[in-house]
Amino acid sequence: MRIPFELAETVAAVVDEGTLDAAARRLHITPSAVSQRIKTLEEQLGRVVLVRSKPARATEAGVAIVRLARQAALLEHDTVAELGADADEGARTAVPLAVNADSLGTWFLAPLARLSQRHPVVFDLHRDDQDFTAGLLESGTVMGAVTSRATPVAGCRVSTLGAMRYEAVATPAFVERWVLGAAIAEALNAAPVVDFDRRDDLQNEWLRAMGATARPPRHFVPASNDFATAVRLGLGWALLPTFQSAEPLARGELVRLGGPPIDVPLHWQQWNLRSPLLDAIAEEIVAEGRRVLAPA
């Protein structure tokens, strides 16, 4: 069986854009042509590749087709570059990557900026917790990911980046209100805490290490820079990456609550596909991670 690239590309476009209409605009064809391509591929495979929901999503068979489309686009880019041919004017290869919020908010964009100056690429970033980004690799949604997972995802290779170091901090006024004069574990049982979202277990891990037993009031602030701002404004205490806490600590705007810092090891995983572009992306990201992160 042969799968025409045009059909696989159409499935990927629908998954990326969320609707047939949006995919049609991206591909410069009509929505009915998109629908006909999907129908043709499904008849050829004997399987449904898309769930027609809003947004549209790939079935298990569709995930394999999307992965094929992304790999084919990557190989096409590498071949055009190797031949020294000029790409279509304005055309850039889309590279989907997954990254955790704290890396995205601190060190991750700098290597991408350098890469975009040397290669005709655009980056489609998917933000998720480092414990979950590997799932986006498994589904074929992204080509590479910053992840806490050291074991390679099937069909991927892994490189160690380093560790993101976190320290528990709060404003001096917050500490004076909630902590002074009280045993630290007792105070932490009542002092409001800032969590990124309901999957963020970092603060709970530190609370357990400090001997706190209750579940204190929580604010949820699901954006890295806004999360740090919430702590600096005294909304609650939290663990911040040293990237974000060093300057406020030096200025006296924040103080450490004590206790052990928490290091979160980070790894770079990408498809095990020999591609000069993908290798260049990995080289830049891994070098930056090892330069700025704590030793794993």
Side-chain angles (χ1 to χ4, degrees), residues 39-278:
K39 180 180 179 182
T40 298
L41 181 60
E42 290 180 332
E43 289 176 348
Q44 181 177 330
L45 296 175
R47 299 183 184 185
V48 174
V49 297
L50 282 176
V51 177
R52 271 71 166 178
S53 55
K54 290 188 178 180
R57 56 185 177 86
T59 63
E60 184 177 350
V63 165
I65 296 298
V66 170
R67 186 184 302 113
L68 170 65
R70 299 203 197 287
Q71 291 177 345
L74 186 62
L75 293 173
E76 181 181 54
H77 170 279
D78 291 337
T79 302
V80 169
E82 184 178 350
L83 294 173
D86 293 331
D88 293 340
E89 186 176 352
R92 285 178 171 259
T93 301
V95 179
L97 305 174
V99 59
N100 60 306
D102 287 336
S103 291
L104 180 60
T106 53
W107 65 271
F108 190 73
L109 290 177
L112 300 192
R114 294 193 291 269
L115 286 160
S116 69
Q117 293 171 4
R118 300 197 305 267
H119 301 276
V121 297
V122 290
F123 295 103
D124 179 7
L125 300 183
H126 297 250
R127 188 194 68 192
D128 206 342
D129 185 271
Q130 63 270 0
D131 292 336
F132 300 95
T133 49
L136 296 172
L137 271 174
E138 291 174 318
S139 69
T141 302
V142 299
M143 298 178 183
V146 176
T147 173
S148 59
R149 182 167 164 180
T151 304
V153 171
C156 294
R157 49 194 166 108
V158 60
S159 300
T160 298
L161 292 170
M164 184 78 83
R165 177 159 292 171
Y166 293 82
E167 292 181 314
V169 296
T171 64
F174 183 90
V175 171
E176 184 175 358
R177 177 182 178 185
W178 291 99
V179 181
L180 287 183
I184 184 67
E186 179 183 342
L188 292 171
N189 284 331
V193 59
V194 182
D195 275 346
F196 187 84
D197 58 24
R198 286 166 177 78
R199 296 190 300 183
D200 180 8
D201 198 46
L202 204 60
Q203 281 65 231
N204 286 335
E205 182 180 342
W206 187 83
L207 282 169
R208 289 191 291 268
M210 296 297 289
T213 56
R215 188 170 177 84
R218 289 169 191 270
H219 304 283
F220 295 99
V221 184
S224 181
N225 289 325
D226 295 339
F227 181 95
T229 299
V231 177
R232 291 198 303 270
L233 291 175
L235 206 60
W237 69 269
L239 283 101
L240 291 185
T242 53
F243 289 108
Q244 293 177 322
S245 64
E247 289 187 8
L249 284 167
R251 293 193 298 264
E253 297 170 5
L254 294 175
V255 294
R256 294 179 177 87
L257 296 183
I262 293 181
D263 284 353
V264 176
L266 295 176
H267 306 273
W268 175 251
Q269 293 212 33
Q270 67 181 51
W271 290 347
N272 193 16
L273 181 68
R274 289 301 169 186
S275 156
L277 176 58
L278 205 52

